[in-house]
Amino acid sequence: MNKITQKHISKNKKGGEKILSVYWFVILFIVAAAIVYMTASFYGKPYDVRQVEADLLTNKIADCISEAGYLKDEALEPQFKDDFPGNCGITFDVEDSYGPKEQEQYYIKLTLTDFSSKNNVFKAKEGNVNLVYSCNLKGNNLPFCLKRSFYVIDKDNNQYQADIFSIVRKTEKNVK
Amino acid sequence: MEKRGKKGNILTENIIFIVLNLAFLSILLLFLLSKTSETAVLEEKYAKQIALMIDAAEPGMRIHLNMEDAIEKAVKNKINPSDIVSINGNVVTVKLSEKDNNPQSSYSFFNDVEANANFDTLTQKEYYFVISGK
């Protein structure tokens, strides 16, 4: 009886090992399929760099109107407002791949408010104004919107609040 | 004798099992490596990286960028290393292959500066960008 049982056990062990290796390869196949799917979906999508771009655009505007916490004198002059992006060294030209209808891929708005009286001292906006309406919507193929505020003082120690609103579209190159 | 035969069997089975597993893992690793170093992926990565770099730059700056992997890929695809990066106006284009027409290989920058891309012939693995005012 003992001998028969041992034989049975050894046969079952072999069978069990074979089944185990089959299961092992099934698991490997599932893991491989998951990795292939994840890699394809990750590298199939473009890198979305619009957040960094909007950050840089906001920093550029902030550096343009202020220096070391002080408001630049030229920022309050009327001719500064006339060509606000040009005076800040910003161009809205983009590559042709976006198509003529969608050429303007940026929108910027700068508001300077007197901190004590709450009056608008300076207000300038430039770019594709239609992009503003997409900011409150939810979805994938939408422009990236960024709002930032900071405080500055002028030479006479008057305090101002600067609000910068930047939008970067470029959905064709950043979202799929 | 029988026992010895069984032991040999077990050893061979295990070796085959381990070899198959290793083969599977190496194929998976090769697939991942080939995906990460794909021409289109590198073109997009460098076009965007250079455009953002120029956006953050100021006139008078000279920026060095290590592009060893892209240069190796371009040389394999018979592209002259000095023709990899081109800047027309405010659009950066990275070209690592003659074949594909990748729409992601170009990206624009908003910084209104004059940027020039130059292949570093000394290191042979870098590009440097000279930023000047317009």
Side-chain angles (χ1 to χ4, degrees):
Chain A
M1 274 297 281
N2 245 351
K3 274 183 185 177
I4 293 164
T5 329
Q6 267 179 354
K7 264 185 186 177
H8 273 274
I9 288 165
S10 66
K11 266 187 186 176
N12 282 340
K13 255 192 180 177
K14 259 197 172 181
E17 275 168 13
K18 272 181 186 170
I19 289 164
L20 188 70
S21 65
V22 169
Y23 273 120
W24 178 243
F25 279 105
V26 168
I27 288 164
L28 282 187
F29 179 79
I30 292 166
V31 170
I35 289 174
V36 168
Y37 173 75
M38 284 190 291
T39 315
S41 62
F42 181 77
Y43 286 104
K45 284 179 189 170
Y47 292 112
D48 194 351
V49 295
R50 292 175 305 161
Q51 189 180 351
V52 184
E53 205 172 350
D55 263 328
L56 290 170
L57 187 60
T58 308
N59 286 348
K60 181 99 181 157
I61 299 165
D63 288 343
C64 176
I65 59 159
S66 70
E67 195 173 11
Y70 283 92
L71 188 72
K72 286 182 181 172
D73 292 337
E74 60 261 33
L76 293 172
E77 287 170 11
Q79 58 263 38
F80 179 81
K81 194 180 170 181
D82 295 339
D83 184 20
F84 158 56
N87 287 326
C88 288
I90 294 167
T91 175
F92 287 159
D93 293 341
V94 287
E95 56 269 45
D96 297 328
S97 55
Y98 295 108
K101 278 185 184 175
E102 307 286 358
Q103 270 302 314
E104 283 199 312
Q105 302 293 313
Y106 299 99
Y107 174 79
I108 46 173
K109 184 180 163 189
L110 169 66
T111 319
L112 208 62
T113 317
D114 192 309
F115 202 66
S116 47
S117 66
K118 301 286 175 195
N119 288 333
N120 269 349
V121 180
F122 177 94
K123 197 174 184 181
K125 47 189 173 185
E126 203 72 41
N128 190 350
V129 75
N130 295 325
L131 299 178
V132 177
Y133 305 108
S134 320
C135 284
N136 295 324
L137 301 174
K138 280 182 182 175
N140 288 327
N141 287 317
L142 292 171
F144 185 85
C145 309
L146 182 73
K147 271 182 190 175
R148 283 253 197 95
S149 297
F150 63 99
Y151 298 102
V152 277
I153 51 170
D154 64 8
K155 278 179 182 174
D156 306 321
N157 274 341
N158 294 316
Q159 295 172 313
Y160 299 94
Q161 182 182 333
D163 296 295
I164 303 168
F165 184 37
S166 316
I167 307 177
V168 181
R169 189 181 168 270
K170 292 188 173 181
T171 43
E172 289 86 349
K173 298 251 167 155
N174 291 283
V175 192
K176 209 176 183 179
Chain B
M1 282 296 278
E2 228 183 26
K3 270 188 181 175
R4 271 186 191 176
K6 266 184 188 175
K7 271 190 180 173
N9 254 350
I10 290 163
L11 188 67
T12 326
E13 276 171 16
N14 282 338
I15 287 170
I16 290 168
F17 186 70
I18 290 164
V19 166
L20 282 174
N21 278 324
L22 285 176
F24 168 84
L25 284 172
S26 35
I27 289 167
L28 210 61
L29 205 69
L30 280 175
F31 168 77
L32 280 175
L33 286 176
S34 69
K35 269 281 174 192
T36 50
S37 61
E38 249 183 14
T39 312
V41 174
L42 285 176
E43 281 177 347
E44 186 199 344
K45 175 189 151 187
Y46 282 113
K48 286 179 176 172
Q49 194 174 351
I50 294 164
L52 292 176
M53 213 167 64
I54 296 169
D55 277 336
E58 279 180 30
M61 281 185 174
R62 184 180 152 132
I63 305 161
H64 284 254
L65 178 67
N66 190 326
M67 292 179 63
E68 202 174 353
D69 49 353
I71 291 164
E72 272 174 21
K73 200 92 184 169
V75 170
K76 264 186 198 172
N77 293 333
K78 291 173 184 172
I79 297 272
N80 191 344
S82 54
D83 297 334
I84 295 173
V85 184
S86 58
I87 300 172
N88 295 314
N90 66 326
V91 179
V92 179
T93 307
V94 176
K95 193 180 175 186
L96 300 177
S97 164
E98 285 284 1
K99 288 176 194 172
D100 58 343
N101 189 18
N102 177 17
Q104 299 286 355
S105 64
S106 59
Y107 204 76
S108 59
F109 50 90
F110 60 76
N111 200 358
D112 199 13
V113 290
E114 191 76 45
N116 288 305
N118 306 282
F119 175 59
D120 193 342
T121 46
L122 277 175
T123 58
Q124 297 278 331
K125 56 182 181 182
E126 279 181 5
Y127 249 82
Y128 66 90
F129 301 88
V130 181
I131 316 293
S132 51
K134 269 190 176 172

